[in-house]
Amino acid sequence: MKLTSVVAQLLLAPLALAVAAPGVGKKISYDGYKVFRISTHHDAAEVKDQLKSLTAVPFNLNADEHLDIAIAPESLDAFNALELDAEILHQDLGADIKEEAKFAPYGGVSANAVPSLTWFNTYHAYADHITFFNDLAGAFPQNSEIFNAGTSVQGRNLFGIHIWGSGGKGSKPAVYFHGTVHAREWITAKVVEYISYQLLTKYSTDTAVKAIVDKYDFYIIPFANPDGFVYTQTNDRLWRKNRMTRSGSSCVGTDINRNWPYKWELTGGASTDKCSETYKGLAAGDTPENKGLVAFTKSLQASKGIKLYIDWHSFGQYILLPYGYDCSARASNHARQTTLATGLANKIRESYGTRFTYGPSCSTLYKTTGSSTDYLTDVAKAELAWTIELRPTGSSSSGFILPAAQILPSSIEQWEGMKYLLATM
């Protein structure tokens, strides 16, 4: 969920020209780009000013202590001449992207067979994700089905898997997950797939899992932004927004997580610049994706209510509680949420020692307006509505390009955390 500031737009300008028009066939190459972490010594504005003439792609320009940025080969000499306090995170971003994209083929399974755990050894093409979910639901027809929560700009279904236990489908409060809201955050789909897999495959053999599934109905949407995700696989690995065009602008895309119809009108947590990575849209909820997701959310609220909503993102290792729109606002059950977040962070850490920071979204990370979690908290009345930012931390060398070897560890630690949270909340 790392963002791009107004200054970052100046840095993005040389690249943005190459990807502005929809349907551009040329794939953006990051060969030779080096990614640096720059210590700002609490003077980020000065560092940004020094960088603004370079051809670069910002990973994070909202932090006060450091900036993460990919520098194009033609700007490396100029960057080095600045003599900033920096360390290298990626020696060659393009090479790391190529390594990540070594997808294993997925041919599906025989009728009613369970997909193999080898699915989680690599990343996969979008079409294979669809097949995986169909296979998973097909293996457990008494406890799951595929549903559709809406349609994307380019006509793709916002599909998900509905999982239920005793009492039949739709009889319990909802646990509701969104993945891949921001297109480049590939690990999020894998993690929600793993959680779905464990809920279904362990239901008949693990009493703790059965108790969880019998208590809630799970609605898990792995790709809230399918067009953007496909675009990261065909054109630009670092694409973030959806693929919506706007009249009078060559810039493409709206940030789905700044377009929800709650506190959208406030300033400081999103951009009105159509070229910005946090562009909020012309009106609250005006993207096709948000229209579908809002309608589906309302249907869950009107049915049995929403117990837990999680908006899965990467990166940074955060558990973010309400609110994003105001750094002093707190949810009415803030103390209880903090207790649960503390327990979740502790449980996640038990698997591999991975540490997650937790706290209110705005005061812990940065201000956001028109976000799903604020909408779910105050409008849809979810008891818990959190953002979880997955691996790696800001100090890791991988950022959005998380190596495939970390898919399973990331998924396992989150599953262990979810078992705690779902049993305790």
Side-chain angles (χ1 to χ4, degrees):
M1 203 166 79
K2 299 297 183 181
L3 309 182
T4 304
S5 67
V6 174
V7 171
Q9 291 310 307
L10 297 175
L11 295 170
L12 271 172
L15 183 64
L17 295 176
V19 299
V24 173
K26 184 178 180 181
K27 190 167 187 175
I28 303 301
S29 172
Y30 293 100
D31 291 350
Y33 276 71
K34 293 184 184 295
V35 180
F36 294 91
R37 160 148 299 167
I38 306 168
S39 296
T40 67
H41 303 286
H42 300 286
D43 193 359
E46 171 61 24
V47 174
K48 292 174 187 178
D49 187 62
Q50 294 182 69
L51 297 172
K52 66 183 180 182
S53 64
L54 305 183
T55 302
V57 180
F59 277 22
N60 169 37
L61 288 180
N62 293 80
D64 177 60
E65 295 182 356
H66 65 263
L67 307 178
D68 294 347
I69 189 165
I71 305 295
E74 62 268 26
S75 291
L76 286 172
D77 287 345
F79 175 81
N80 291 329
L82 295 174
E83 297 185 342
L84 297 171
D85 183 2
E87 60 178 316
I88 293 180
L89 302 183
H90 286 271
Q91 284 284 357
D92 187 336
L93 180 60
D96 291 338
I97 289 173
K98 289 183 177 70
E99 182 65 26
E100 177 197 48
K102 292 179 179 178
F103 302 156
Y106 179 70
V109 297
S110 59
N112 301 321
V114 180
S116 169
L117 272 173
T118 58
W119 169 262
F120 300 99
N121 291 342
T122 68
Y123 295 101
H124 292 84
Y126 176 70
D128 285 346
H129 286 278
I130 296 173
T131 303
F132 171 84
F133 271 101
N134 285 331
D135 288 346
L136 186 61
F140 300 95
Q142 302 305 313
N143 294 96
S144 65
E145 66 182 2
I146 301 300
F147 68 89
N148 179 28
T151 307
S152 70
V153 172
Q154 297 175 347
R156 294 182 175 90
N157 288 335
L158 307 184
F159 73 89
I161 190 167
H162 177 196
I163 299 169
W164 63 87
S166 63
K169 62 182 179 181
S171 62
K172 306 293 171 62
V175 171
Y176 183 28
F177 293 167
H178 287 176
T180 327
V181 173
H182 293 144
R184 60 194 176 190
E185 298 166 12
W186 289 8
I187 185 59
T188 63
K190 283 293 184 178
V191 166
V192 300
E193 286 168 347
Y194 188 84
I195 292 170
S196 303
Y197 186 95
Q198 293 298 323
L199 289 170
L200 286 170
T201 60
K202 298 291 179 61
Y203 179 72
S204 63
T205 59
D206 187 318
T207 57
V209 174
K210 186 178 189 303
I212 290 168
V213 177
D214 285 345
K215 191 174 183 180
Y216 302 110
D217 274 69
F218 291 80
Y219 302 87
I220 299 173
I221 299 174
F223 297 97
N225 180 12
D227 299 347
F229 177 74
V230 170
Y231 194 77
T232 65
Q233 296 196 327
T234 60
N235 290 72
D236 184 356
R237 177 61 185 85
L238 296 182
W239 187 260
R240 170 185 165 94
K241 301 182 288 182
N242 76 354
R243 294 297 299 162
M244 188 174 185
T245 58
R246 302 281 182 171
S247 177
S249 176
S250 62
C251 292
V252 177
T254 300
D255 186 342
I256 293 172
N257 202 36
R258 301 295 184 275
N259 191 241
W260 284 75
Y262 183 67
K263 303 298 182 181
W264 177 90
E265 71 284 358
L266 300 182
T267 60
S271 177
T272 57
D273 178 358
K274 294 182 179 68
C275 298
S276 170
E277 291 204 276
T278 59
Y279 175 57
K280 63 194 288 184
L282 292 175
D286 71 347
T287 67
E289 293 89 352
N290 283 87
K291 289 175 182 177
L293 293 172
V294 167
F296 185 74
T297 301
K298 287 180 177 179
S299 73
L300 296 183
Q301 179 188 7
S303 179
K304 299 298 180 180
I306 302 169
K307 181 73 173 184
L308 169 67
Y309 169 74
I310 295 180
D311 194 18
W312 296 89
H313 288 267
S314 72
F315 60 95
Q317 296 174 200
Y318 291 96
I319 302 165
L320 301 175
L321 318 181
Y323 289 97
Y325 75 88
D326 185 335
C327 289
S328 62
R330 298 292 183 267
S332 59
N333 61 345
H334 174 70
R336 175 63 175 158
Q337 294 204 39
T338 301
T339 298
L340 289 170
T342 303
L344 175 59
N346 290 339
K347 183 58 67 173
I348 290 170
R349 189 168 64 248
E350 287 180 9
S351 294
Y352 300 97
T354 312
R355 294 183 177 274
F356 275 68
T357 301
Y358 54 89
S361 181
C362 183
S363 58
T364 303
L365 195 55
Y366 43 63
K367 183 176 182 179
T368 57
T369 52
S371 70
S372 64
T373 48
D374 286 355
Y375 179 95
L376 265 289
T377 298
D378 281 359
V379 180
K381 304 300 181 182
E383 187 171 321
L384 305 173
W386 295 355
T387 296
I388 293 183
E389 298 274 359
L390 297 168
R391 291 188 182 195
T393 61
S395 59
S396 169
S397 63
S398 52
F400 299 114
I401 317 303
L402 190 69
Q406 291 198 43
I407 293 172
L408 264 176
S410 186
S411 299
I412 289 168
E413 68 193 11
Q414 292 303 320
W415 169 238
E416 294 302 319
M418 285 299 105
K419 285 193 293 182
Y420 158 81
L421 181 62
L422 293 165
T424 308
M425 66 186 190

